[in-house]
Amino acid sequence: MEIKFEDLKVLYSEEQLHTKVKEIAEKLNKFYNGDEVVAICALKGAVLFAADLVRELDMPVKMEFIRLSSYGSSTTTSGKVNAVDINLPDLNGKNVLIIEDIVDSGLTAKFLIDFIHMNFHVKSFKFCSLLDKKITRKVDVEPDYYGFEVDDKFVVGYGLDYDGHFRNLKYIAYKEN
Ligand code: IMP
Ligand code: MG
């Protein structure tokens, strides 16, 4: 599959994304109730979502960044999660919030959940993803918080890419068949 800018259709507008980010932040603000959080942004896809989300949080926030990859230049997961950079500080006793762009097969989410729990005794652990493609799930994981459920289409924009392209779009788009 090749995706050209001309073929893209808006799935969620800038305004819809903004509203949704605020909704998620409200839930997180309630849950953490002023307690410090370490927000871990899963690069590269979650960068714009994380940037917008943390600005709506009203507790003290530390940001960390990790980089995983499973896709390469294809539009389906390779089935293997590759930890490109997973250097994290000591998270023992911390409220850990993972921020992801999309949960698809669930392999990346599962990898991250296992990694955190194997290495640290955290105070709390939450997994937050802007999008949830439940229909393509291969392993049994669910995000604690998610913005929109999407069906089995490849989406780009607002951080999500196709072979490195379209991350800078203000909206989420898909290719109409
Ligand atoms: P999973 O491990 O299969 O759940 O895939 C998770 C990662 O694949 C996400 O963090 C995204 O970076 C990427 N991904 C999955 N679906 C899409 C999509 O529709 N568009 C762009 N990237 C996607
Ligand atoms: Mg990602």
Side-chain angles (χ1 to χ4, degrees):
M1 179 166 77
E2 212 210 318
I3 303 180
K4 296 200 209 97
F5 183 72
E6 307 84 78
D7 305 329
L8 295 178
K9 293 271 178 295
V10 176
L11 183 61
Y12 297 112
S13 68
E14 183 180 9
E15 197 192 343
Q16 282 173 297
L17 291 171
H18 189 62
T19 304
K20 189 59 81 175
V21 167
K22 284 191 158 175
E23 258 174 54
I24 298 171
E26 241 169 71
K27 290 181 194 165
L28 294 170
N29 286 335
K30 271 206 189 105
F31 176 76
Y32 292 111
N33 192 26
D35 211 7
E36 185 179 271
V37 173
V38 182
I40 303 176
C41 169
L43 295 172
K44 300 172 188 171
V47 66
L48 300 191
F49 173 47
D52 285 343
L53 185 67
V54 295
R55 281 180 284 185
E56 302 294 337
L57 297 179
D58 56 21
M59 73 296 267
V61 175
K62 283 184 172 171
M63 288 189 83
E64 294 295 334
F65 300 86
I66 55 176
R67 197 166 151 208
L68 305 165
S69 73
S70 63
Y71 265 49
S73 60
S74 127
T75 56
T76 50
T77 179
S78 65
K80 197 175 153 285
V81 180
N82 182 18
V84 180
D85 170 9
I86 196 158
N87 291 310
L88 287 165
D90 181 5
L91 297 174
N92 288 305
K94 306 285 186 188
N95 292 308
V96 173
L97 173 68
I98 305 266
I99 305 177
E100 247 293 28
D101 51 357
I102 184 166
V103 181
D104 178 19
S105 70
L107 288 165
T108 305
K110 175 96 173 56
F111 177 92
L112 279 172
I113 293 165
D114 291 349
F115 181 87
I116 298 293
H117 287 116
M118 268 161 27
N119 288 283
F120 307 104
H121 287 285
V122 296
K123 180 171 181 188
S124 72
F125 179 85
K126 294 287 179 192
F127 195 100
C128 174
S129 179
L130 177 65
L131 304 175
D132 190 355
K133 237 190 240 181
K134 292 188 190 294
I135 199 162
T136 49
R137 200 75 93 249
K138 289 189 184 136
V139 289
D140 186 21
V141 288
E142 291 297 327
D144 300 292
Y145 302 94
Y146 69 90
F148 300 101
E149 183 174 341
V150 291
D151 40 76
D152 189 12
K153 42 169 85 101
F154 194 77
V155 293
V156 296
Y158 196 60
L160 292 113
D161 74 308
Y162 165 69
D163 201 13
H165 299 279
F166 311 123
R167 289 195 202 277
N168 62 315
L169 301 180
K170 292 179 176 179
Y171 47 87
I172 302 253
Y174 69 100
K175 185 189 168 178
E176 201 172 48
N177 297 310

